[in-house]
Amino acid sequence: MTMEEARGAVGDYSVGWHDPEHSTIRFDSGLSEEVVRKISEIKNEPAWMTEIRVKAYHHFTKRDMPGFGDRAALEGIKFDEVCYYLRSSDATEKDWDDVPDDIRNTFDRLGIPEAEQKWLSGVTAQYESEAVYHSIREDLEAQGVLFLDMDSGLKQYPDIVKKYFCSVIPYQDNKFSALNTAVWSGGSFIYVPKGVKVEMPVQAYFRINAKNMGQFERTLIIADEGSSIHYVEGCTAPTYSTDSLHSAVVELVALDGAHIRYSTIQNWSANVYNLVTKRGIAHRDASIEWIDGNIGSKLTMKYPSVILKGEGAHAEVISIAYAGKGQHQDAGAKVHHLASNTTSKILSKSISKDGGRGSYRGMVTVASKAENCKLNVVCDALILDDQSQTDTYPTMEVANASARCEHEASVSKVSDDQVFYLMSRGHSEEEALAMIVNGFFEPFTRELPMEYAVELNKLMALEMEGSIG
Amino acid sequence: MTDETPVLSLKDLHVGIDGNNILHGINLNIAPGEIHAIMGRNGSGKTTAAATIMGHPDYEINSGAILLNGEDLLELEAWERARKGVFLSFQYPQSVPGLQVGHFLRKSVASIRGDEAAKGPAFRDALKSAMEEVSIPRSFLSRYVNDGFSGGEKKRFEILQLMLLKPRLAILDETDSGLDIDGIRVVSRGINAAIRGSESGALIITHYSRILEHVKPDYVHVLIKGKIVKSGGPELALELEEKGYEWLQ
Ligand SMILES: Nc1ncnc2c1ncn2[C@@H]1O[C@H](COP(=O)(O)OP(=O)(O)OP(=O)(O)O)[C@@H](O)[C@H]1O
Ligand SMILES: [Mg+2]
């Protein structure tokens, strides 16, 4: 691929355009108990949900900011200026033609309907606070697979939602999980019945269009015994001079022998705070994999976690972070080995460039009664220039001596000789850098569906453009 | 100058690095179809000359000229020189973890010889036969560039690239060092096939006369402390092997 093609395909933060704001309901900025109750009322929710929201809201107001990460940037979040609920469409449609024109236009430009036809099992598209489109392949529906936006999930399957909502991530977990629980809207609800294997991925697409918007989607995925599912999410937003807040909560439950893979390519514009709590519980012989790509946002703080609760369960967290100008990616992983014979693998790769900062924050614990666990942690950082920064905060707490732990960390710089070698094969300096960077991310990229891998490589080639002084 | 424009012409080339002068006035002409060899002690400036011709940005050219087919290269970056036909087989090839060999070769052929040359069955066939020629197994296509390659494998991989990129000027910086006897034969065959009777030329940097027995260079130059102190035919290589460099100083 040439640079011209890349530019043609992706553009300069190609997803940075915005459509005229279009809202049927827009709340005034700021948060209060009244706002929380109002959201619940608009959605016609059962009383128990309203109650959790209100409790979570009060917890949020009292709860301190996290004591780690980018404290200064966190203090810069103006909660009073955020719009907590914005509805752009009155319904979630099943047919793209019924989605309002300007919103459909957005998703057309992002190539979503096309991808759906080609290689997805189902799609949900969220615009601001609500899902505007939703579909699932009929054969999966016939097998009893539930794939809905979270609001519809709550309406149609209140018992399942009530059982699992906040069961993996209680609202008291941290300030942002409390905030999300108070004002959540949209997100996905998935239930895969026993033994059903969903071969092709399902995709959710999240788009923030309005200024000062807060997007608080809530996702819950339950894979019943022996089932499997691959969920993919992508995120973009226009480039505004004012900040937006994205604070999601994602809960995964993999019952005995189930397999959940959750892949994310986050390419928020550089004015979005991305503060997300993601955690899964893996029961006996289940496996949960987080494939987590962080390219955009102003500040990301995200540590996908797995609780290995059942014997023989497996966790894998493969993540990349790209921190460019003005960006801080504070990402990593957490795994808790609570049962015997559980295994985990964490691979984290970060690149910092143009003064960006990439931090790895990881935590792996082994409980005293968990025998014969295996842990493998690798974190690699690549720094592209002298202004940029990387730091790692790995923690391992192993309370059982039978555990086999491996930990490797490396920090490297791109060497002039490496670049020269590639240039001597006809590649410009920018192309050479893109080859090195994409090579560095390759262990991550190869885990993605091909369409995403191609897109990610183009995106990184673009990031290397104009970087040569 | 004869009516034939040299493939490479170095004119009174003075080169330094970090303020240290390394090359003190090199003159050299390689005509189409010719193979020249440079020999010389460690540190005499051989790699400096090779890297300067390829366009390494760290080397400062204090005076002189580098012409490729009569065209001045000084203002061109390495990748532009590569596209004009300069190829360097590195003394120490660099590894690029995560960059697959197959992908890298296709991209390099596309950028140097054009998209058409990197497409379809023609490219696949050329790749297959070149890999057989240099005895690199197919499995290397999915390995990463030079990552974990043995010393000899790296050198064979350089020659594979030489064969696919079809340069006008091939510079081989100690490609024979670290190669086994078969490897030296393979490399020599590759060079002879690429250069003899063609429009291209080659410059072979080596410490050993063995490779020169196979490629029979038209000229052998001796570089000492950044200057060519003696030039001769292939027999000069044997003489050096016997006597060392002392007598030339
Ligand atoms: N950055 C530098 N600063 C100072 N001197 C340098 C620098 N880089 C190279 N040199 C010196 O330049 C001289 C020529 O080096 P060069 O690599 O060209 O030698 P060579 O002839 O290729 O040697 P060999 O046979 O060992 O490969 C050496 O003395 C080397 O130490
Ligand atoms: Mg050398």
Side-chain angles (χ1 to χ4, degrees):
Chain A
M1 182 202 58
T2 65
M3 285 297 148
E4 289 72 27
E5 282 164 11
R7 188 184 283 287
V10 196
D12 285 36
Y13 191 76
S14 66
V15 285
W17 85 87
H18 71 274
D19 291 308
E21 203 175 303
H22 159 123
S23 51
T24 59
I25 302 177
R26 180 179 178 129
F27 278 28
D28 289 341
S29 302
L31 190 57
S32 61
E33 183 176 330
E34 195 195 335
V35 166
V36 172
R37 286 189 181 279
K38 194 83 203 260
I39 291 172
S40 192
E41 188 190 318
I42 288 173
K43 292 174 177 291
N44 234 329
E45 287 177 346
W48 64 266
M49 182 58 82
T50 315
E51 251 164 65
I52 294 190
R53 284 182 182 274
V54 170
K55 276 191 208 153
Y57 165 72
H58 289 294
H59 187 82
F60 165 75
T61 57
K62 289 192 290 264
R63 185 70 183 257
D64 288 337
M65 280 289 187
F68 52 86
D70 196 330
R71 306 280 296 272
L74 286 176
E75 295 304 333
I77 301 175
K78 299 186 180 73
F79 289 106
D80 290 344
E81 292 175 14
V82 173
C83 168
Y84 287 87
Y85 185 79
L86 196 166
R87 172 184 283 191
S88 303
S89 169
D90 290 326
T92 303
E93 304 295 348
K94 290 199 160 185
D95 190 329
W96 278 111
D97 292 337
D98 298 330
V99 174
D101 281 350
D102 50 351
I103 299 179
R104 196 180 67 222
N105 177 32
T106 299
F107 289 108
D108 278 346
R109 283 172 77 178
L110 294 166
I112 307 300
E114 206 188 330
E116 177 190 358
Q117 279 164 23
K118 281 197 200 140
W119 57 279
L120 295 170
S121 292
V123 168
T124 180
Q126 178 161 345
Y127 196 79
E128 320 294 12
S129 300
E130 297 284 355
V132 292
Y133 171 76
H134 202 90
S135 85
I136 177 166
R137 280 188 12 200
E138 281 169 13
D139 54 326
L140 294 173
E141 208 166 14
Q143 289 176 74
V145 176
L146 307 179
F147 176 40
L148 296 99
D149 65 275
M150 190 68 192
D151 293 278
S152 306
L154 175 61
K155 274 200 186 74
Q156 295 174 35
Y157 303 94
D159 297 342
I160 306 182
V161 174
K162 191 171 182 182
K163 180 169 174 191
Y164 290 105
F165 190 87
C166 278
S167 73
V168 184
I169 304 171
Y171 64 80
Q172 302 94 329
D173 192 80
N174 65 72
K175 190 173 180 76
F176 292 94
S177 65
L179 177 63
N180 175 281
T181 307
V183 298
W184 74 267
S185 183
S188 299
F189 169 73
I190 296 178
Y191 170 80
V192 190
K194 272 183 198 170
V196 174
K197 301 210 185 302
V198 180
E199 304 286 347
M200 295 203 291
V202 295
Q203 182 180 340
Y205 198 85
F206 296 97
R207 174 82 179 168
I208 297 177
N209 186 59
K211 275 187 206 181
N212 288 329
M213 185 56 208
Q215 194 175 57
F216 305 95
E217 88 269 9
R218 180 92 187 192
T219 289
L220 173 61
I221 301 178
I222 300 139
D224 212 328
E225 293 171 17
S227 69
S228 76
I229 182 140
H230 182 184
Y231 180 88
V232 187
E233 65 177 356
C235 326
T236 62
T239 310
Y240 286 125
S241 53
T242 54
D243 297 333
S244 294
L245 174 60
H246 174 251
S247 187
V249 166
V250 177
E251 299 178 281
L252 309 182
V253 180
L255 297 174
D256 293 1
H259 175 208
I260 301 177
R261 168 173 279 217
Y262 193 110
S263 303
T264 304
I265 298 288
Q266 172 275 105
N267 188 24
W268 294 116
S269 53
N271 55 324
V272 173
Y273 286 94
N274 185 44
L275 308 164
V276 171
T277 310
K278 288 181 163 168
R279 189 177 304 153
I281 293 184
H283 292 263
R284 175 182 285 269
D285 295 325
S287 83
I288 290 182
E289 296 159 358
W290 296 102
I291 312 294
D292 202 54
N294 296 293
I295 310 296
S297 84
K298 173 180 189 159
L299 169 67
T300 285
M301 285 175 64
K302 177 166 51 154
Y303 323 96
S305 315
V306 182
I307 297 169
L308 297 167
K309 194 177 175 198
E311 218 174 293
H314 176 70
E316 209 154 308
V317 186
I318 302 179
S319 66
I320 56 158
Y322 170 80
K325 194 172 181 200
Q327 287 183 282
H328 184 179
Q329 304 280 9
D330 197 292
K334 291 183 195 167
V335 178
H336 302 289
H337 293 256
L338 304 185
S340 296
N341 300 313
T342 50
T343 52
S344 67
K345 188 179 140 190
I346 293 173
L347 172 63
S348 155
K349 301 206 143 226
S350 77
I351 291 181
S352 11
K353 178 171 174 285
D354 299 329
R357 178 172 172 198
S359 309
Y360 167 78
R361 195 176 301 280
M363 152 91 81
V364 185
T365 66
V366 178
S368 59
K369 61 181 193 310
E371 301 288 339
N372 300 319
C373 296
K374 269 193 233 164
L375 311 54
N376 179 284
V377 180
V378 176
C379 45
D380 298 325
L382 183 68
I383 306 181
L384 296 195
D385 50 45
D386 294 335
Q387 300 92 57
S388 304
Q389 194 183 338
T390 180
D391 29 30
T392 56
Y393 308 94
T395 310
M396 274 198 190
E397 290 168 9
V398 179
N400 184 305
S402 68
R404 288 229 313 269
C405 313
E406 291 166 348
H407 181 238
E408 277 172 52
S410 76
V411 177
S412 48
K413 286 195 167 186
V414 173
S415 80
D416 292 347
D417 286 335
Q418 220 178 7
V419 174
F420 178 59
Y421 183 73
L422 294 174
M423 287 178 79
S424 78
R425 283 2 177 198
H427 309 292
S428 70
E429 191 168 353
E430 290 165 345
E431 287 166 341
L433 273 180
M435 286 171 137
I436 293 167
V437 161
N438 282 327
F440 180 76
F441 279 162
E442 201 271 349
F444 171 86
T445 317
R446 72 164 167 243
E447 298 294 332
L448 298 175
M450 217 254 286
E451 290 76 0
Y452 275 81
V454 169
E455 205 56 30
L456 183 70
N457 282 343
K458 285 183 192 167
L459 206 61
M460 292 318 300
L462 214 73
E463 290 288 348
M464 295 306 115
E465 240 185 301
S467 65
I468 312 299
Chain B
M1 209 186 280
T2 60
D3 54 337
E4 237 183 347
T5 313
V7 176
L8 176 71
S9 192
L10 302 181
K11 299 193 164 169
D12 194 28
L13 194 62
H14 288 74
V15 176
I17 184 162
D18 294 337
N20 304 293
N21 293 327
I22 310 286
L23 299 181
H24 310 281
I26 304 283
N27 288 289
L28 186 73
N29 282 311
I30 301 179
E34 279 184 359
I35 298 175
H36 290 223
I38 292 188
M39 301 180 78
R41 283 206 173 117
N42 297 132
S44 55
K46 303 181 296 299
T47 296
T48 302
T52 304
I53 298 167
M54 189 72 245
H56 196 299
D58 288 354
Y59 294 91
E60 305 130 25
I61 296 174
N62 299 322
S63 64
I66 305 172
L67 306 179
L68 182 77
N69 299 310
E71 188 187 346
D72 187 351
L73 292 184
L74 285 194
E75 292 302 314
L76 301 182
E77 288 190 50
W79 63 278
E80 296 169 303
R81 297 183 194 196
R83 290 183 188 190
K84 293 218 178 274
V86 182
F87 176 85
L88 172 59
S89 168
F90 283 68
Q91 184 175 1
Y92 304 110
Q94 295 288 314
S95 66
V96 187
L99 178 58
Q100 285 190 342
V101 164
H103 181 67
F104 167 68
L105 289 175
R106 196 156 20 78
K107 284 196 89 148
S108 300
V109 169
S111 70
I112 289 177
R113 294 177 51 214
D115 286 338
E116 282 311 309
K119 267 189 198 151
F123 174 72
R124 277 200 301 278
D125 292 349
L127 180 61
K128 187 162 179 274
S129 68
M131 289 182 81
E132 279 165 11
E133 184 76 30
V134 297
S135 302
I136 291 182
R138 300 288 294 173
S139 60
F140 271 61
L141 289 174
S142 53
R143 287 182 64 174
Y144 301 146
V145 170
N146 288 317
D147 196 28
F149 288 19
S150 75
E153 286 166 349
K154 285 183 186 168
K155 299 303 175 78
R156 285 169 192 259
F157 183 52
E158 294 294 282
I159 296 308
L160 174 64
Q161 294 175 61
L162 165 70
M163 292 166 80
L164 293 172
L165 296 174
K166 303 194 185 304
R168 290 302 305 272
L169 171 69
I171 306 167
L172 285 76
D173 191 357
E174 295 199 28
T175 303
D176 56 337
S177 306
L179 272 178
D180 58 26
I181 298 159
D182 285 346
I184 290 179
R185 226 174 268 140
V186 162
V187 167
S188 309
R189 220 169 33 223
I191 298 166
N192 283 326
I195 309 299
R196 292 302 183 192
S198 79
E199 295 290 291
S200 301
L203 182 62
I204 299 177
I205 296 168
T206 182
H207 289 295
Y208 309 105
S209 61
R210 179 182 283 276
I211 188 171
L212 303 181
E213 285 162 25
H214 294 282
V215 289
K216 302 244 167 18
D218 300 279
Y219 297 94
V220 174
H221 310 280
V222 183
L223 189 68
I224 291 183
K225 293 188 177 152
K227 274 186 134 108
I228 291 178
V229 297
K230 194 171 175 59
S231 298
E235 70 289 345
L236 180 54
L238 295 170
E239 202 178 345
L240 290 169
E241 191 126 300
E242 206 175 295
K243 299 199 213 163
Y245 295 100
E246 209 93 316
W247 61 287
L248 287 165
Q249 276 175 320

